[in-house]
Structure formats: structure tokens, C-alpha cells
């Protein structure tokens, strides 16, 4: 999510829907920035509209209140990140990279996830740390997102109905989230990409991917 430029007063050639879309995007981006800077509890609606450059009336045309705006921003970021990671895991746009093995697909997914968070520490802080202060609805969203990422790992690894391997996918997802959160909390986003190789090795071990290759007759 990036902060959109403010519309200048007067004629700008945009339709009403385009203006509303621009306003919404600016408010979502402003929410992310404000919460990362001041924390969810200390972020008033006034701070969001000031950063976004919109009126209070405009804010309430889009959102029921601060929580509603935060949840909308969370959904947009989570959806975009999930799509980005899924695309990387599928090998789209990577014709020069063999993505037909489980490890290659997991590596691509890990790389996409870690690089995205490392490159957007403000977004990462808002949705990995401040989300815990945003109330029960936000925590439910966070839990659902972790579940979807566990589903993605399970799908790549082909765990099927194996409960132990499914649990391993959930444990890997939780561990990765915790380690990324720790580095964001310590203001060390540059250390996030370094998690890629050890997490891939861990996934290979706990998901028994070497055994899978042997059973399939792969070298």
C-alpha cells in the first residue's frame, strides 16, 4: 500500500467513483502510517484525516469509525500480500526458474513474503504488532490470515489429510510470523530476508520433504 497523492481543488477530470476510490486509498494508507507511528490506541480519527487530507465528513462516508478503517486497511494489505505470495509460489512470471518442485515453490513463497515485509516495515509494524491492540475483530482477522497462509503452505507441500503434517504447516507459519514480528519490533527489517534459508531448511525437515522425493523416485 502506498500513499496516494492528494487531489488538488478544482477540476481534475476524475469521475465521482474515481474521487471516492482515491479518497479511500489515501485514508487506508494514512491509517497504516498513523498507527505505525503512534500505535492504534493513540491514533484518533483526526490524525488519519489530517494525514489523508480529507474532511471528517468524507471519512465517515467511507467508514463507520476508526476500527472499521483499520480493518479495511488490514484486509487490503493481507489480500495483496496473499496474492503476491501465491503468484510467486505458482511460478508466474518466472519462466527462467524451475518451480515444479515443492522446495522450489516454498522457497519462492518464502522469498516473496519476507521481501515484501522487509521492504514495507511501516505496514509490517501496523499489521504484525499494532493489530494486537486493535480489538477482538482485528485479532480474529489476524488469526484467519495465519490460517490462510498455513493453507498455502499445506497446498504447496501436498499434506492432504495428514494431521501431523497439517499441524507442522501451522507451526511453521506461526514461527515465521513470530520471528518476523521480533525483527520489526527491534526495528531491524533488514534482517528479515535472512530468515529465508533457515526457514526453508526447517520446512524441508518438519514436512519430511526429502522423504517425499525418495518415495517419488526423485534424485
Amino acid at each position: 500500500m502506498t500513499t496516494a497523492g492528494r487531489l488538488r481543488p478544482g477540476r481534475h477530470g476524475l469521475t465521482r467513483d474515481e474521487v471516492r476510490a482515491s479518497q479511500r486509498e489515501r485514508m487506508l494508507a494514512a491509517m497504516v502510517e498513523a498507527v505505525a507511528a503512534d500505535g492504534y490506541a493513540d491514533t484518533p480519527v483526526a490524525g488519519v484525516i489530517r494525514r489523508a487530507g480529507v474532511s471528517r465528513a468524507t471519512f465517515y462516508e467511507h467508514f463507520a469509525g476508526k476500527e472499521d478503517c483499520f480493518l479495511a486497511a488490514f484486509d487490503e494489505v493481507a489480500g495483496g500480500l496473499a496474492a503476491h505470495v501465491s503468484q510467486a509460489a505458482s511460478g508466474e512470471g518466472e519462466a527462467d526458474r524451475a518451480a515444479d518442485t515443492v522446495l522450489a515453490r516454498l522457497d519462492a513463497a518464502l522469498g516473496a513474503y519476507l521481501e515484501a515485509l522487509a521492504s514495507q516495515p511501516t505496514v509490517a509494524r501496523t499489521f504484525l504488532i499494532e493489530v494486537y491492540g486493535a480489538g477482538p475483530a482485528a485479532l480474529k482477522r489476524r488469526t484467519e490470515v495465519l490460517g490462510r497462509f498455513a493453507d498455502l503452505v499445506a497446498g504447496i507441500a501436498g499434506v492432504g489429510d495428514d494431521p501431523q503434517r497439517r499441524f507442522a504447516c501451522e507451526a511453521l507459519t506461526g514461527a515465521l510470523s513470530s520471528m518476523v514480528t521480533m525483527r520489526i519490533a527491534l526495528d531491524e527489517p533488514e534482517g528479515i530476508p535472512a530468515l529465508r534459508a533457515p526457514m526453508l531448511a526447517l520446512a524441508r525437515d518438519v514436512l519430511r520433504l526429502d522423504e517425499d522425493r525418495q518415495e517419488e523416485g526423485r534424485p
Side-chain angles (χ1 to χ4, degrees), residues 126-188:
T126 297
F127 297 110
L128 294 180
I129 297 176
E130 292 300 329
V131 65
Y132 289 101
L139 289 179
K140 182 178 180 181
R141 291 282 219 291
R142 176 73 180 129
T143 301
E144 290 170 349
V145 167
L146 285 174
R148 290 201 295 271
F149 276 98
D151 289 341
L152 175 63
V153 174
I156 294 172
V159 304
D161 296 327
D162 187 329
Q164 290 186 330
R165 297 182 78 195
R166 169 64 198 190
F167 178 79
C169 293
E170 294 175 1
L172 285 167
T173 303
L176 180 61
S177 176
S178 178
M179 287 188 285
V180 171
T181 299
M182 185 184 306
R183 283 155 180 78
I184 291 296
L186 294 173
D187 198 23
E188 298 175 355

Side-chain angles (χ1 to χ4, degrees), residues 11 30 34-35 53 71 81 99 109 132 141 176-177 204:
R11 296 184 177 181
V35 171
L71 293 176
L81 181 59
Y132 289 101
R141 291 282 219 291
L176 180 61
S177 176
R204 181 193 62 211

Side-chain angles (χ1 to χ4, degrees), residues 8-203:
R8 295 179 180 178
R11 296 184 177 181
H12 39 61
L14 299 180
T15 67
R16 173 60 178 163
D17 286 345
E18 289 172 332
V19 170
R20 285 179 58 81
S22 174
Q23 291 170 337
R24 180 180 175 83
E25 181 65 21
R26 297 205 314 272
M27 287 184 284
L28 294 180
M31 173 61 76
V32 172
E33 295 169 357
V35 171
D38 303 321
Y40 180 83
D42 293 327
T43 295
V45 168
V48 174
I49 63 178
R50 182 175 62 253
R51 286 175 180 267
V54 299
S55 68
R56 182 172 291 270
T58 295
F59 179 89
Y60 285 106
E61 286 176 7
H62 289 264
F63 307 109
K66 182 175 79 168
E67 181 185 43
D68 188 34
C69 182
F70 181 87
L71 293 176
F74 183 93
D75 288 344
E76 180 171 302
V77 170
L81 181 59
H84 176 63
V85 174
S86 295
Q87 182 180 38
S90 71
E92 293 182 35
E94 297 286 343
D96 59 335
R97 177 180 60 77
D100 59 348
T101 68
V102 171
L103 281 175
R105 293 179 64 203
L106 279 176
D107 183 45
L110 276 169
Y113 176 79
L114 296 172
E115 291 292 343
L117 293 179
S119 66
Q120 300 183 76
T122 297
V123 173
R125 175 173 291 277
T126 297
F127 297 110
L128 294 180
I129 297 176
E130 292 300 329
V131 65
Y132 289 101
L139 289 179
K140 182 178 180 181
R141 291 282 219 291
R142 176 73 180 129
T143 301
E144 290 170 349
V145 167
L146 285 174
R148 290 201 295 271
F149 276 98
D151 289 341
L152 175 63
V153 174
I156 294 172
V159 304
D161 296 327
D162 187 329
Q164 290 186 330
R165 297 182 78 195
R166 169 64 198 190
F167 178 79
C169 293
E170 294 175 1
L172 285 167
T173 303
L176 180 61
S177 176
S178 178
M179 287 188 285
V180 171
T181 299
M182 185 184 306
R183 283 155 180 78
I184 291 296
L186 294 173
D187 198 23
E188 298 175 355
E190 68 280 358
I192 292 175
L195 296 171
R196 181 174 180 173
M199 282 302 304
L200 183 65
L202 180 62

